[in-house]
């Protein structure tokens, strides 16, 4: 009913609010015997962490993760595995909130920010934690990233999941210049260094006007073998779309050619096959690595569109809790473009969905 849980065999529940003492997740169904320490999770959280550049929120959070349960080590385990391992019991992960400034939200406590979830939470529950957006804050995505790190352990090194920002505002990268090696070399997760100054100028201009910008993030999973996923009601692309759509501010998801497929010629849209050295070789990947809800063995490719940040300094017309017409101006610390920090979150959601698909595939067909 409350829908704070996703996944079937690899099942993730997140909990916590933006300005509560801590947030975290419980992962149920992780197989036993996987080496796991906090240092396996922390690097992924560091990539999502706020405060990394002037183009993200200036909230300073250490985002230090603690493993509370589900992992154990004794002399025999150390001898056998070389360190702590998962025990097959629920893994509970905790991340403290250390840089809340709830007074920044005093003014909007009874106001509905247009484009944010204030109105709908109030309409549904009749009560809400408005501090920092409460549960609707993207602070919650830290827990997803922590769960994603565990999912990567389940998937092993054969599956690599990576994301890049491919558009900010109207400025798209040139696909011919796409270079994954560049993504971690700049704070905007750009796969082309030449676009970085263009994006920076765009973001500076929006920020100075008290506004914000949207973005498109591309996420890919390499090394997924053919056969994961399920037909009809458990389609892998449907589960990926749901998981990606659940990320805050996402308004669109495309798999493979996505919406462009509608304009393609039928002869070009289907991915032709030839015999390769290690099984079928596809001559293109418009399907984005999924056919009939089942992975093809090609890279899984998805893109998400994120709207511009709704909390902006420009006054916007809205209502307060009494229904009075007001102008809302949101101060406090906000991401001028939420798409930038969404790249590690998109990777994490894909990792969780794939770990779940892998375990279900193993359960059904061995
Ligand atoms: C990584 C990330 C950071 C975000 N940071 C902010 C922010 O600083 N301010 C804001 O108003 N919204 C931010 N958002 C978006 C809101 O959380 C989101 O718009 C809100 O919960 C309403 O949900 P919806 O846009 O999905 O309908 C962020 C989203 C993501 C993915």
């Amino acid at each position: 009913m409350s829908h704070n849980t996703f996944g079937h065999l690899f099942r993730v529940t997140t909990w916590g609010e933006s300005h509560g003492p801590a947030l975290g997740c419980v992962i149920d169904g992780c197989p036993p015997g996987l080496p796991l320490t906090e240092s396996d999770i922390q690097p992924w959280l560091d990539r999502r962490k706020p405060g990394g550049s002037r183009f993200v929120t200036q909230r300073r959070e250490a985002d230090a993760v603690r493993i509370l349960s589900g992992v154990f080590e004794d002399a025999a385990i150390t001898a056998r595995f070389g360190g702590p391992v998962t025990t097959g019991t629920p893994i509970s992960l905790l991340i403290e909130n250390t840089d809340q400034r709830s007074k920044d939200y005093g003014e909007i406590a009874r106001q509905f920010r247009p484009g944010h979830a204030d109105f709908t939470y109030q309409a549904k529950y009749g009560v809400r934690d408005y501090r920092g957006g409460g549960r609707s804050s993207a602070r919650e995505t830290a827990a997803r990233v922590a769960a994603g790190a565990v999912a990567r352990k389940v998937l092993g090194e054969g599956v690599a999941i990576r994301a890049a920002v491919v558009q900010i505002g109207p400025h798209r990268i040139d696909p011919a210049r796409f270079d994954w090696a560049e993504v971690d070399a700049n704070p905007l997760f750009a796969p082309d260094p030449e676009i970085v100054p263009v994006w920076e100028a765009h973001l500076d201009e929006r920020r100075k006007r008290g506004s914000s910008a949207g973005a498109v993030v591309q996420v890919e999973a390499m090394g997924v073998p053919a056969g994961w996923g399920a037909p009809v009601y458990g389609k892998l692309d449907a589960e990926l779309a749901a998981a990606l759509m659940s990320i805050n501010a996402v308004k669109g998801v495309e798999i493979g050619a996505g919406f462009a497929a509608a304009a393609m010629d039928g002869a070009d849209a289907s991915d032709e096959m030839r015999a390769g050295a290690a099984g079928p070789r596809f001559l293109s990947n418009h399907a984005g690595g999924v056919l009939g809800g089942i992975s093809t063995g090609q890279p899984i490719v998805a893109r998400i569109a994120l709207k511009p940040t709704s909390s902006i300094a420009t006054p916007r017309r809205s209502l307060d809790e009494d229904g009075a017409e007001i102008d809302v101006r949101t101060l406090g610390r906000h991401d001028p473009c939420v798409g930038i920090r969404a790249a590690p979150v998109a990777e994490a959601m894909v990792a969780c969905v794939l770990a779940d698909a892998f375990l279900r595939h193993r359960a059904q067909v061995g």
Side-chain angles (χ1 to χ4, degrees):
M1 267 287 277
S2 307
H3 300 288
N4 292 293
T5 302
F6 70 101
H8 300 267
L9 287 191
F10 186 86
R11 211 160 158 70
V12 178
T13 302
T14 73
W15 54 268
E17 283 89 21
S18 179
H19 289 206
L23 53 84
C25 64
V26 177
I27 301 157
D28 202 4
C30 182
L34 294 176
L36 186 69
T37 65
E38 276 125 3
S39 61
D40 292 312
I41 304 170
Q42 197 58 53
W44 303 108
L45 283 166
D46 292 345
R47 287 178 76 231
R48 193 213 72 102
K49 205 159 76 171
S53 77
R54 71 180 190 278
F55 303 112
V56 298
T57 174
Q58 293 308 299
R59 184 167 169 170
R60 300 257 161 212
E61 290 286 358
D63 275 357
V65 67
R66 277 174 60 203
I67 301 176
L68 302 185
S69 67
V71 171
F72 186 61
E73 179 183 31
D74 65 6
I77 289 173
T78 312
R80 198 168 144 209
F81 297 100
V85 292
T86 58
T87 57
T89 58
I91 299 170
S92 187
L93 304 177
L94 180 128
I95 301 159
E96 280 180 40
N97 291 322
T98 54
D99 189 25
Q100 311 94 315
R101 276 197 213 155
S102 302
K103 65 174 168 38
D104 288 347
Y105 290 86
E107 256 187 37
I108 59 155
R110 304 196 72 254
Q111 302 178 338
F112 300 136
R113 284 169 294 172
H116 215 290
D118 307 328
F119 166 67
T120 49
Y121 270 56
Q122 188 69 31
K124 183 175 180 70
Y125 301 108
V127 60
R128 69 196 158 98
D129 179 351
Y130 50 79
R131 302 164 307 158
R135 179 79 180 145
S136 74
S137 161
R139 269 304 284 151
E140 185 269 345
T141 63
R144 302 175 186 226
V145 171
V150 180
R152 288 182 199 258
K153 285 286 198 174
V154 174
L155 292 166
E157 287 181 3
V159 176
I161 300 161
R162 54 198 186 181
V165 177
V166 295
Q167 182 175 337
I168 287 185
H171 306 289
R172 273 186 212 166
I173 63 145
D174 174 357
R177 294 186 48 83
F178 199 118
D179 181 358
W180 283 108
E182 293 292 338
V183 173
D184 283 331
N186 65 81
L188 301 183
F189 295 93
D192 172 10
E194 279 191 7
I195 197 91
V196 173
V198 178
W199 286 352
E200 286 177 342
H202 181 75
L203 289 167
D204 277 334
E205 187 272 326
R206 293 276 174 108
R207 209 159 39 101
K208 278 182 197 137
R209 288 204 269 121
S211 193
S212 58
V216 176
V217 172
Q218 180 161 322
V219 56
E220 293 191 9
M222 323 283 291
V224 175
W228 292 9
V232 191
Y233 299 118
K235 287 185 167 174
L236 186 58
D237 40 359
E239 292 189 349
L240 286 167
L244 291 168
M245 197 63 150
S246 79
I247 299 171
N248 315 39
V250 170
K251 297 310 283 182
V253 180
E254 291 187 319
I255 310 282
F259 275 70
M264 290 173 85
D265 187 90
D268 300 327
S270 51
D271 303 316
E272 294 180 281
M273 296 168 81
R274 280 281 170 255
R281 183 168 62 89
F282 290 87
L283 305 186
S284 56
N285 188 15
H286 301 305
V290 188
L291 287 172
I294 299 170
S295 58
T296 62
Q298 292 230 80
I300 291 178
V301 184
R303 277 176 303 281
I304 55 176
L306 294 109
K307 69 188 190 187
T309 320
S310 57
S311 304
I312 52 174
T314 302
R316 309 306 298 146
R317 287 170 291 181
S318 188
L319 299 175
D320 67 15
E321 284 180 17
D322 300 322
E325 294 184 350
I326 52 165
D327 279 354
V328 179
R329 190 167 172 251
T330 312
L331 302 173
R333 298 162 299 171
H334 293 278
D335 287 280
C337 174
V338 303
I340 300 168
R341 287 173 55 233
V345 183
E347 290 178 1
M349 293 309 283
V350 169
C352 290
V353 169
L354 291 179
D356 192 38
F358 160 59
L359 293 177
R360 281 188 283 155
H361 178 66
R362 197 171 69 172
Q364 188 183 18
V365 303

